[in-house]
Amino acid sequence: MAAFSSDEQRCIEQQIYELSSVCPTPPDRIRNVYELDRCDQWINANGLSKVCLQFPDNLLCDSPDVLLSLRNSSGAQCFILGDTSYGSCCVDEVSAEHVQADGIIHFGHACLSLTIRLPVLYIFQSKPLDVQNLMNAISARFEDCNSSLLVIYDVAYSHKIADVDKALTLKFPNAVSARPTLSNSAKEQYNCLGSSFTLPDKSILENYNVLYIGHDGRTFTNYLLELAACKLFRYDPEETQSCVQPADGKISKFLMKRLHLVERVKDARTLGILIGTLGVEGYLDAVDRVKLLAKKTGKKTYIFAVGRPNIPKLANFPEVDVFVLIACPENSLFDWKEFYQPVVSIYEVELACNSAREWSSKYVIDFRQLLSGGGDHVELSDTPEDTLDVSLITGKVRNIDLSSSVNDSEERSVAARADLAVCVSTGSQFLSNRSWQGLEQSLGQTPVELASVGRIGVASSYQSEPLQRKLE
């Protein structure tokens, strides 16, 4: 059984490893590494006076030098955003608004999700890429020079796109490169998870071999799912012996786990909508979509905003059967194995509650594609849902309670039970039966007392303690 606390040993080891692997940038290289001349031009072009600088944890050691240099060169008032409310890949507009900032410069890896409130400049952490080694690896894997090849880059290698394109066109005339760009903002034929590209006329995406340049992480997993119909390969420049490796055998096992979560959503009576972002465009529309799906299948919904989810936070709500995480594409796939309740994405809720949507090998990561106007949006079926279904997990018959889907125009009455507890939903019933229901203010019931002097000294030897007890 999991404990209601973090594993202190694992936390300490992780901090030591991260700190030991971070090397501060020399002061004379700060302006080049962080492209501060480009930052100055952006600040002056937009007439910004207050700018927030957002850093991931591994770049915080350079944040004071970046701030001082940028403040002296641009003249703008700068603030450092270090501890982001959610993922470091997302722009933290909420924290920036606390100081009335009129712009944000985001450093390091980014998911490139569209923001809502403030202008944003992205400065990626550029990593070295040997173009000749890359071409040798591609030639060794794809012997046919006429192969249809689509190259997708991690944002850390976007500065090398022009060099790679020049080398590719000499040997692979049918190769296409994707450009990192803001999701849904480029007028390209395809826009997938922050990468936009256009294929030649009469070309089919499924016929392309997709090569991802970057490490095996969340971003690569998302491309695996979004481009499941294509054959994917990966090239990691940071590996000792870099080569083009196929990415086979990962999708089927993942989809089996997610299909299990679809059944958990079908079994659930109460869904907790977990807010995992406050800056990605359309997150409120996603909340409304989940509420609509839950209402159609007779499920209760509650909205939670707890910052970064962890075991102690979510364990405070045992009345919730399944949590639905609304976050950017890189934070949507949550590892819930140690949690008391599963944490699913909106796509699982769509598969469980929308009978008009069919199961396919493609997994939709970006929740905006599921909303109205998105490429994977499916309207709800007008036919009534079957009220009886068999659970593939428990083997029991599920009864969909559609009586909870009450029309907003209908009048509702609240009745008091004999124990004076008012019951309006599943969550309130659970709360009324708990022995502890949280802190109570008890306004007007606590007598007012004057403040008195407390203990003086240190915890091991207060001055008010007897001498004999101190000696013991």
Side-chain angles (χ1 to χ4, degrees):
M1 182 176 180
F4 286 90
S5 62
S6 302
D7 187 349
E8 66 277 2
Q9 182 178 358
R10 183 171 58 184
C11 293
I12 293 176
E13 291 176 353
Q14 183 177 3
Q15 291 175 1
I16 292 175
Y17 173 78
E18 290 180 353
L19 289 177
S20 61
S21 62
V22 174
C23 296
T25 305
D28 57 339
R29 295 186 56 206
I30 284 291
R31 294 200 64 85
N32 291 332
V33 171
Y34 290 94
E35 303 181 45
L36 297 189
D37 292 338
R38 181 181 164 206
C39 296
D40 291 335
Q41 296 176 3
W42 182 76
I43 292 174
N44 296 329
N46 291 275
L48 307 180
S49 58
K50 283 187 178 181
V51 180
C52 283
L53 313 178
Q54 182 175 338
F55 295 86
D57 293 341
N58 61 320
L59 298 181
L60 278 176
C61 57
D62 292 335
S63 59
D65 294 334
V66 173
L67 182 143
L68 293 175
S69 179
L70 190 61
R71 185 179 62 183
N72 294 333
S73 59
S74 66
Q77 189 177 7
C78 299
F79 302 86
I80 296 176
L81 298 180
D83 187 14
T84 57
S85 302
Y86 302 99
S88 59
C89 63
C90 297
V91 177
D92 194 355
E93 292 182 303
V94 175
S95 297
E97 288 185 333
H98 290 167
V99 294
Q100 291 82 42
D102 46 17
I104 301 175
I105 301 178
H106 185 283
F107 295 95
H109 179 74
C111 60
L112 296 178
S113 299
L114 282 178
T115 54
I116 304 173
R117 305 173 182 89
L118 299 175
V120 181
L121 174 64
Y122 291 96
I123 303 295
F124 305 128
Q125 187 181 7
S126 300
K127 296 182 179 180
L129 173 62
D130 192 324
V131 178
Q132 186 59 46
N133 288 344
L134 172 63
M135 292 305 303
N136 294 337
I138 294 177
S139 300
R141 171 61 62 177
F142 307 103
E143 297 179 357
D144 185 6
C145 297
N146 295 321
S147 300
S148 298
L149 182 63
L150 172 62
V151 183
I152 298 179
Y153 302 82
D154 184 273
V155 294
Y157 304 102
S158 60
H159 64 290
K160 287 289 187 177
I161 293 180
D163 297 335
V164 176
D165 284 352
K166 184 178 180 180
L168 276 176
T169 52
L170 295 177
K171 191 168 185 179
F172 295 90
N174 296 328
V176 177
S177 292
R179 261 62 177 175
T181 184
L182 294 179
S183 301
N184 297 340
S185 64
K187 297 180 181 179
E188 299 280 356
Q189 182 183 2
Y190 295 94
N191 198 306
C192 177
L193 300 175
S195 294
S196 61
F197 53 91
T198 300
L199 301 181
D201 294 339
K202 299 182 180 180
S203 297
I204 303 176
L205 179 60
E206 287 74 12
N207 296 336
Y208 274 75
N209 295 315
V210 180
L211 173 61
Y212 175 76
I213 300 178
H215 70 283
D216 189 0
R218 291 183 179 180
T219 305
F220 179 59
T221 302
N222 291 344
Y223 281 116
L224 275 176
L225 300 174
E226 284 281 348
L227 302 174
C230 304
K231 192 170 184 179
L232 269 80
F233 300 84
R234 183 179 61 86
Y235 176 85
D236 190 354
E238 297 184 359
E239 293 181 354
T240 305
Q241 296 179 350
S242 300
C243 60
V244 177
Q245 303 174 356
D248 298 332
K250 293 185 177 182
I251 299 179
S252 58
K253 184 179 294 186
F254 175 85
L255 292 179
M256 290 174 61
K257 294 180 180 178
R258 308 312 291 192
L259 184 59
H260 170 77
L261 294 179
V262 174
E263 290 298 314
R264 293 291 296 268
V265 176
K266 290 182 179 180
D267 290 343
R269 296 181 56 193
T270 305
L271 299 180
I273 303 176
L274 195 59
I275 304 297
T277 178
L278 295 176
V280 178
E281 183 185 43
Y283 79 95
L284 292 178
D285 296 329
V287 173
D288 295 335
R289 179 68 177 180
V290 175
K291 292 168 65 176
L292 179 61
L293 292 169
K295 181 178 180 181
K296 185 174 179 59
T297 53
K299 304 181 187 298
K300 305 290 184 181
T301 57
Y302 298 92
I303 300 177
F304 299 91
V306 295
R308 296 182 182 180
N310 55 35
I311 296 176
K313 288 179 182 178
L314 300 190
N316 289 320
F317 311 102
E319 63 271 25
V320 176
D321 298 320
V322 173
F323 285 97
V324 184
L325 179 61
I326 298 177
C328 73
E330 295 203 7
N331 293 314
S332 295
L333 301 181
F334 202 79
D335 187 9
W336 60 275
K337 291 186 296 184
E338 298 182 1
F339 286 71
Y340 286 89
Q341 304 99 329
V343 182
V344 304
S345 67
I346 300 181
Y347 186 57
E348 274 107 25
V349 181
E350 283 273 348
L351 292 172
C353 302
N354 188 357
S355 59
R357 182 178 293 276
E358 298 180 357
W359 170 263
S360 65
S361 59
K362 179 183 179 181
Y363 190 94
V364 183
I365 305 294
D366 192 348
F367 67 80
R368 289 166 297 179
Q369 299 299 322
L370 301 172
L371 304 179
S372 179
D376 296 289
H377 175 71
V378 175
E379 292 290 345
L380 293 175
S381 176
D382 295 332
T383 59
E385 301 285 344
D386 296 333
T387 57
L388 294 179
D389 189 16
V390 178
S391 171
L392 298 180
I393 298 178
T394 63
K396 298 180 180 180
V397 176
R398 287 189 290 246
N399 185 14
I400 301 177
D401 183 15
L402 296 178
S403 61
S404 62
S405 301
V406 183
N407 240 333
D408 294 338
S409 59
E410 297 178 359
E411 295 183 359
R412 296 193 239 177
S413 59
V414 179
R417 298 192 320 195
D419 57 357
L420 300 181
V422 179
C423 294
V424 294
S425 65
T426 306
S428 62
Q429 292 177 0
F430 190 93
L431 180 63
S432 63
N433 295 328
R434 295 176 97 178
S435 59
W436 185 77
Q437 300 179 4
L439 299 178
E440 298 180 357
Q441 293 181 338
S442 301
L443 298 177
Q445 302 178 16
T446 304
V448 178
E449 298 181 358
L450 296 176
S452 58
V453 179
R455 291 184 175 184
I456 301 175
V458 295
S460 61
S461 178
Y462 290 114
Q463 295 182 7
S464 59
E465 291 181 344
L467 180 60
Q468 181 178 0
R469 186 174 177 181
K470 295 180 182 179
L471 295 176
E472 292 178 355

